[in-house]
Amino acid sequence: MALEEKEKKVPISSAETPDTAVGTMEDVNEIMKKYDRESNTRPWTGVPGKVIQILLAAFAVFVIYMNLFATWDERVRRCTFLGFVILFVFILFPIRKGMKNQKANRIPVYDVILALAGSGSFFYFVFNSSKIIDHGTRITSLEIALGIIGILILAECCRRVTGIPILVVASCFIIYSFYFFIAVKNQDLAKVVRKVVYNLFYTTTGVIGTPVGVCSTYIVLFIIFGAFLEATGIADFFIACANCIAGWATGGPAKVSVISSALCGMVSGSSVGNTVTTGSVTIPMMKKTGYPPEFAGAVEAASSTGGQIMPPIMGAAAFLMAEMIGVPYADIVVRAILPAILYFTGIFLEVHLRAKRLGLKGIPREELPKAKRLLPKFYLLIPLAVLVYMIIKGYTMSRSAIFATILCIVVSLFDKEHRMTPEKFLNTLATGTKNTLSIAVACGIAGIIAGVVTMTGLGQVFISAIVGVSHGKLMIALLLTMVCCVILGMGVPTTANYIIMATTCAPILTTGMGLNAMCANMFVFYFGIVADITPPVALAAYAGSAIAKSDPMKTAFQATRLAIAAFLIPYIFCLNPAMLFIDTTAIQVIQVIVTSFIGMFAIASAIEGYMFRNLLPVTRIILAAAGLMMLYPGTVTDLVGIALVVAMFIFEHAMAKKDSAAA
């Protein structure tokens, strides 16, 4: 504990100088406890703290065993997983956010009761599964009561670790289910309660549905893998590589932020985690170079958010997408490559143009790491490379993740600083479990929403409503879907957001509008992710602002502006599936690549108001229009857009030379 207190008092980065104020770990913790429920945990120290660490690590080992060797019924497996998750949530998370002066190693009696009642409801199903499955819908009054208790306590867990918004959504769906069966189907209340509880608690169409199944099978193992890979020091290696590649360039630190966040995003799908990890190094460097604090925090937040769309691991929702569409995960990875590159290119262009406009320089080459010193560290990429190879070759994702995790332990032995000691091994396993809790709970609540849609046929109602409002126009349907995703995503974790939107809105786009299933699911996936930088609840931006010592809301708005590509790319691949390599030819792929990147350059120039010099308002409007024309598929629009961009490019270059000569 003394070491933790010491760490809180030192700057988060050694890059701090007298003219560069950066946040401390205490600043980061305070702002995240204010906005992020996952950061608000109970203090456990000494022997009790060590016991909790051992239990968390044991659960990670248990999950690995469950996936490799257990042959249990799927319902039993999922209930066992959620039962333990509920126990750990009540052990780690207090009743309300921001509780101060909590006594260490204390858990209130009411939390003990809730933990036992909630987990007991799921474990009852585990130990009586055969009887319950045989009874079917004829569950007893005790089983109805336990189902209600289990759902309510899972909801309380969700409130503690993710917040209220998703519970409001889930409650509305449950209320609709009662309305549907009582008012529309004219069934009596007792029968409806039995039906709703049975479907939502005892079948794989509710709480223990596909989301929890994927979480307990794939997501948790990849989270554990990510924890072990980060423990090898690969984040430091990625940051050093990014510095070597772009640190010397104009506005180098911001470009380092974009590149390092993209590389770290391949390992971790956490926007906030990436922001704190890479931002602790890049944000002070950006401020020292001359970038405004809000912009420095926003660059890191926008770049780190892209980690959830960066193959090969991506965010947890990507695994759910593979399951819901019914395609191998390798397909998701391959089709996500081009949109991810375009996203980071958009941010890269904006930070470059901002640096040019402000006249910012890079880092002196003598202060940057040398490439020859980084080469010996390339062995750190072995686990990642093997993971990608195994997934592409068709090995199960569970075995691929576990084998890659073992390789992480092996490669750590080659570095004395990051060597995997027994204590570090235990802590890394515990970290993997902690990082799983919020996703597991959110998956359970999202499963309720999916269950109601299945049980009542609500999906068809949504399809009819949106198709009617949009009058069959795909663009209008996409706009309406985007609004739903962004509004819902402001208070709902991205994984749960994807589940809800994939259950309700994706079928609208596929069944109602005839859109390809991959395009539709990727569309809602993207707009669920931008929630982490979209005000008013923008956790990644708030983490960046804590390090940059900037205004959180201003940082969030700057991050949204920088991530404009994330708002445009989904429309590109829905209108032109060639970007996702769907039903296309090599020529079409080349065309979409060329036009998209030129269009992104035009839009970035318009947003920043700079190309070779400060742009006039009319020039910015022309460039924005040209960029949007190239993002819309069609030879005519592409040619007109390219012509306008080339014309503006030549004109601005000539005028900049003229201005320079006159000066």
Side-chain angles (χ1 to χ4, degrees):
M1 188 65 182
L3 180 60
E4 291 176 3
E5 292 298 324
K6 182 180 178 182
E7 287 178 346
K8 288 180 180 179
K9 292 180 174 58
V10 299
I12 194 170
S13 172
S14 59
E16 180 173 344
T17 63
D19 63 335
T20 306
V22 294
T24 63
M25 278 305 302
E26 187 176 37
D27 295 326
V28 177
N29 290 336
E30 282 184 11
I31 200 165
M32 293 315 293
K33 282 185 178 181
K34 181 179 179 181
Y35 294 107
D36 181 23
R37 291 180 179 273
E38 287 184 64
S39 301
N40 186 58
T41 55
R42 246 189 270 275
W44 292 99
T45 61
V47 175
K50 184 60 67 177
V51 171
I52 299 299
Q53 286 286 92
I54 292 171
L55 290 174
L56 289 166
F59 178 67
V61 174
F62 171 74
V63 169
I64 293 172
Y65 163 80
M66 191 169 64
N67 279 285
L68 280 182
F69 306 109
T71 56
W72 306 334
D73 180 90
E74 192 62 25
R75 284 168 284 192
V76 170
R77 211 168 65 84
R78 297 176 187 181
C79 280
T80 303
F81 177 76
L82 276 183
F84 282 118
V85 164
I86 288 172
L87 280 175
F88 287 125
V89 167
F90 282 104
I91 289 172
L92 294 176
F93 294 89
I95 192 169
R96 67 177 184 272
K97 182 174 68 173
M99 288 183 70
K100 296 183 178 180
N101 302 320
Q102 294 187 70
K103 292 184 178 180
N105 307 329
R106 295 287 182 89
I107 180 170
V109 174
Y110 57 78
D111 274 357
V112 175
I113 295 172
L114 288 173
L116 294 176
S119 59
S121 300
F122 285 92
F123 289 137
Y124 175 85
F125 188 9
V126 170
F127 293 112
N128 297 275
S129 58
S130 298
K131 181 184 72 174
I132 293 172
I133 292 170
D134 289 342
H135 284 172
T137 56
R138 302 186 307 277
I139 52 176
T140 65
S141 299
L142 172 63
E143 288 159 357
I144 292 173
L146 288 174
I148 294 172
I149 291 171
I151 290 172
L152 290 176
I153 294 181
L154 180 65
E156 168 61 12
C157 289
C158 186
R159 185 194 66 80
R160 294 190 183 201
V161 298
T162 65
I164 293 176
I166 186 176
L167 295 181
V168 173
V169 176
S171 298
C172 290
F173 275 79
I174 291 176
I175 291 170
Y176 174 80
S177 69
F178 278 89
Y179 165 79
F180 176 80
F181 288 117
I182 294 174
V184 178
K185 295 295 184 180
N186 296 316
Q187 297 177 1
D188 64 87
L189 180 61
K191 184 178 180 180
V192 171
V193 170
R194 184 184 301 274
K195 178 181 290 187
V196 171
V197 171
Y198 175 76
N199 279 283
L200 296 186
F201 192 79
Y202 292 105
T203 72
T204 54
T205 58
V207 170
I208 55 172
T210 298
V212 167
V214 173
C215 183
S216 62
T217 307
Y218 309 133
I219 295 174
V220 61
L221 297 179
F222 275 83
I223 289 175
I224 293 171
F225 164 70
F228 273 93
L229 191 55
E230 288 179 11
T232 65
I234 199 168
D236 295 335
F237 171 71
F238 282 148
I239 293 171
C241 287
N243 268 296
C244 187
I245 294 169
W248 53 270
T250 301
K255 294 174 181 176
V256 169
S257 173
V258 177
I259 296 171
S260 60
S261 295
L263 293 173
C264 288
M266 294 192 302
V267 178
S268 168
S270 169
S271 302
V272 176
N274 286 353
T275 301
V276 174
T277 301
T278 59
S280 62
V281 177
T282 61
I283 290 174
M285 289 166 57
M286 282 188 270
K287 292 185 68 177
K288 183 178 179 180
T289 302
Y291 283 105
E294 283 80 14
F295 190 80
V299 169
E300 184 56 53
S303 302
S304 294
T305 297
Q308 294 191 71
I309 59 174
M310 189 66 183
I313 296 181
M314 305 173 66
F319 298 97
L320 288 161
M321 191 192 306
E323 191 74 18
M324 289 188 169
I325 300 177
V327 299
Y329 182 70
D331 279 11
I332 304 292
V333 170
V334 171
R335 299 183 194 285
I337 291 173
L338 188 52
I341 293 173
L342 189 60
Y343 174 82
F344 284 103
T345 299
I347 301 175
F348 193 91
L349 287 169
E350 287 193 55
V351 299
H352 172 76
L353 294 170
R354 176 67 66 95
K356 283 289 188 181
R357 180 157 64 86
L358 297 177
L360 305 181
K361 304 297 182 183
I363 304 169
R365 287 183 183 272
E366 58 270 18
E367 297 180 16
L368 297 172
K370 307 300 180 185
K372 62 182 180 181
R373 293 188 178 181
L374 294 176
L375 288 175
K377 291 279 189 178
F378 267 78
Y379 68 86
L380 292 171
L381 298 176
I382 292 174
L384 198 59
V386 170
L387 175 69
V388 173
Y389 172 80
M390 292 183 71
I391 290 174
I392 292 174
K393 278 295 185 180
Y395 289 88
T396 64
M397 287 190 285
S398 299
R399 291 186 181 274
S400 300
I402 292 170
F403 189 76
T405 302
I406 295 171
L407 282 177
C408 290
I409 299 171
V410 174
V411 300
S412 74
L413 301 177
F414 295 96
D415 187 342
K416 186 177 181 180
E417 182 183 353
H418 297 98
R419 189 166 295 162
M420 191 63 65
T421 62
E423 183 178 7
K424 191 173 182 180
F425 176 76
L426 187 74
N427 291 339
T428 307
L429 283 173
T431 298
T433 296
K434 287 178 187 175
N435 294 343
T436 302
L437 297 180
S438 62
I439 296 175
V441 171
C443 283
I445 296 299
I448 292 176
I449 297 168
V452 170
V453 172
T454 301
M455 185 170 51
T456 62
L458 186 58
Q460 191 57 48
V461 176
F462 286 141
I463 292 172
S464 301
I466 297 296
V467 171
V469 172
S470 65
H471 300 290
K473 302 293 184 182
L474 178 60
M475 182 59 77
I476 298 176
L478 291 173
L479 283 168
L480 292 172
T481 303
M482 178 195 74
V483 171
C484 291
C485 288
V486 173
I487 291 175
L488 182 64
M490 287 179 183
V492 176
T494 53
T495 304
N497 180 288
Y498 168 73
I499 297 167
I500 297 168
M501 302 313 297
T503 304
T504 56
C505 291
I508 296 170
L509 300 176
T510 53
T511 304
M513 308 305 300
L515 189 64
N516 178 278
M518 179 71 73
C519 295
N521 280 268
M522 198 72 82
F523 184 88
V524 299
F525 176 57
Y526 259 70
F527 281 113
I529 283 166
V530 295
D532 279 347
I533 50 173
T534 305
V537 184
L539 297 181
Y542 296 158
S545 73
I547 302 171
K549 279 192 169 296
S550 61
D551 181 85
M553 199 57 63
K554 289 181 180 178
T555 304
F557 279 110
Q558 284 271 19
T560 304
R561 181 186 178 194
L562 280 165
I564 188 66
F567 292 89
L568 299 175
I569 292 169
Y571 288 95
I572 300 175
F573 58 63
C574 282
L575 297 172
N576 189 357
M579 177 167 280
L580 299 182
F581 311 122
I582 296 172
D583 298 330
T584 188
T585 63
I587 297 297
Q588 290 174 321
V589 172
I590 293 171
Q591 181 180 347
V592 74
I593 290 173
V594 171
T595 56
S596 296
F597 280 90
I598 295 175
M600 200 58 67
F601 168 74
I603 290 171
S605 299
I607 290 174
E608 287 301 321
Y610 187 89
M611 190 178 286
F612 299 104
R613 60 172 190 157
N614 290 328
L615 299 177
L616 296 172
V618 66
T619 307
R620 297 176 70 174
I621 293 171
I622 292 172
L623 284 170
L628 292 174
M629 289 179 75
M630 280 184 286
L631 297 181
Y632 189 86
T635 304
V636 174
T637 53
D638 286 347
L639 291 175
V640 173
I642 291 173
L644 287 173
V645 173
V646 170
M648 290 298 99
F649 186 90
I650 295 172
F651 174 76
E652 288 299 323
H653 185 264
M655 293 303 296
K657 287 184 69 175
K658 183 179 178 182
D659 293 344
S660 178

